[in-house]
Amino acid sequence: MTEPSADFHAFSARLGKDPLRVQGPGGNTSMKIGDVMWIKASGTELADAETKPIFVAVNRAAAQAEAAGEGDGSCKDTVIDPANTLRPSIETTFHAALDWPVVAHTHSIATLVHAISPEGRKVAIEKLADLPAVFVPYAKPGLPLTREILARVTSDTQIVILENHGLICCGTTVAETDEIMQQVEDRLQMPVLTDTTKAATTAMTGFEAVGESWIAHNPRICDLALSGSYYPDHVVFLGPALPTADHAENPPVIVKPEQGVYLRNGATSSQRAMIKCLSDCLSRLPADWTAEPIGTDAEAALLNWDAEKYRQALAAR
Ligand SMILES: [Zn+2]
């Protein structure tokens, strides 16, 4: 079985090491070689692409069949090596269904700033107007999202903006995929628009006051952080929205308005990455753009999902 090329590993690792593209175990890349598709395994990190075996080989046709509705959509039965204990990414079906040799999916901050906002989405449509891009409304990662993607792409589509989620780019080669993704990043790039220097003014026992404490001191942004979740990985790693006080379920992050943002001692690197993600995203949201949460039904669907629990458990190790 032919392994993916060195440039694919390097590209994957570079995306994984950039917190403005990928946070913690989020994002995934794939490469199709003949009948085989190599896809990032669930719970692994793209940043490790050059140092650890994070990719798993699946039967491309079988994964495509799952994307079309056969099986449960997890693609766990499409893994070629029966001795392999890694599960393919929960997003394997869209990688299989997109008919391009290289597919890369990130939770790009530049994309997210536009994709969580109704005003931002309109701006992004204009910024990407001459590129082969489509916009896909929010759907739960896995088969529901794959169905929404497949309903909108054509054979020419190379850019998919996932509303309230992220970015997918496709290409014939790694270089082409990298280039088109960079083009999207350049066009959607947003400056930091808020004062992010304000530190926490109080301490909290059992918690660390984090560098993202500015959120608590900006009334508009604090309100946004407390009133909803804007993309799936926030819910998966931090729970729905953010609470203002500790409670029985031991929330990893607490926001005390006008005081600070607090990360529970012993929190995972994924949880730390997700609070930075929220800060990176909301600090770039223009004052005249609103942000649209995914809603409580979508949050509940994410939290009751076995595949996500599996991902949470892996990331916590
Ligand atoms: Zn994703």
Side-chain angles (χ1 to χ4, degrees):
M1 200 156 47
T2 312
E3 300 255 343
S5 54
D7 66 341
F8 174 73
H9 284 103
F11 173 52
S12 302
R14 180 156 51 79
L15 294 179
K17 287 173 186 169
D18 183 351
L20 295 180
R21 306 278 194 114
V22 162
Q23 306 80 26
N28 34 67
T29 56
S30 67
M31 184 176 233
K32 301 180 185 81
I33 306 172
D35 299 336
V36 174
M37 179 173 80
W38 292 88
I39 173 85
K40 197 197 81 163
S42 183
T44 64
E45 301 204 2
L46 279 178
D48 296 327
E50 291 184 296
T51 53
K52 291 182 189 169
I54 67 160
F55 294 102
V56 55
V58 300
N59 180 306
R60 180 181 173 178
Q64 256 168 341
E66 290 219 11
E70 259 176 52
D72 63 5
S74 75
C75 292
K76 59 178 191 282
D77 297 332
T78 68
V79 175
I80 291 168
D81 178 1
N84 195 323
T85 55
L86 290 171
R87 280 196 208 178
S89 162
I90 54 163
E91 286 163 330
T92 298
T93 47
F94 74 64
H95 283 264
L98 292 166
D99 197 16
W100 292 88
V102 179
V103 177
H105 165 52
T106 66
H107 300 154
S108 147
I109 295 295
T111 304
L112 277 173
V113 175
H114 292 80
I116 65 169
S117 164
E119 296 83 4
R121 290 170 201 153
K122 284 188 193 134
V123 171
I125 288 170
E126 284 168 27
K127 287 178 178 174
L128 305 177
D130 59 325
L131 297 177
V134 298
F135 286 66
V136 174
Y138 178 82
K140 183 175 152 182
L143 266 188
L145 179 59
T146 296
R147 282 195 204 103
E148 295 293 335
I149 293 169
L150 289 182
R152 284 162 185 84
V153 295
T154 69
S155 57
D156 296 327
T157 306
Q158 287 185 272
I159 300 162
V160 183
I161 304 291
L162 303 174
E163 294 178 4
N164 290 89
H165 184 150
L167 171 65
I168 303 170
C169 290
C170 311
T172 307
T173 62
V174 171
E176 187 192 352
T177 311
D178 188 3
E179 192 190 296
I180 200 152
M181 189 170 251
Q182 188 60 52
Q183 213 170 355
V184 176
E185 288 289 334
D186 291 345
R187 293 198 189 190
L188 298 186
Q189 196 190 11
M190 298 288 280
V192 173
L193 299 167
T194 57
D195 175 7
T196 59
T197 60
K198 283 189 185 151
T201 52
T202 55
M204 191 174 169
T205 307
F207 289 78
E208 169 195 350
V210 290
E212 291 79 8
S213 286
W214 71 269
I215 291 171
H217 297 285
N218 181 315
R220 170 176 164 259
I221 301 297
C222 187
D223 191 46
L224 288 174
L226 295 175
S227 57
S229 315
Y230 299 95
Y231 38 84
D233 270 7
H234 178 97
V235 183
V236 170
F237 294 107
L238 300 183
L242 290 173
T244 55
D246 200 3
H247 56 68
E249 284 163 43
N250 299 327
V253 173
I254 289 163
V255 177
K256 289 189 177 178
E258 296 176 24
Q259 296 180 50
V261 176
Y262 304 89
L263 182 67
R264 185 177 294 280
N265 290 346
T268 65
S269 58
S270 306
Q271 289 167 330
R272 195 177 280 275
M274 288 320 298
I275 191 64
K276 176 169 164 50
C277 178
L278 186 68
S279 169
D280 284 339
C281 198
L282 296 182
S283 63
R284 289 169 170 79
L285 192 74
D288 56 347
W289 289 11
T290 57
E292 189 172 71
I294 60 171
T296 48
D297 285 353
E299 287 174 346
L302 287 164
L303 290 170
N304 294 332
W305 193 22
D306 281 350
E308 282 296 359
K309 281 188 181 148
Y310 168 79
R311 201 151 76 99
Q312 283 170 318
L314 276 184
R317 287 208 304 243

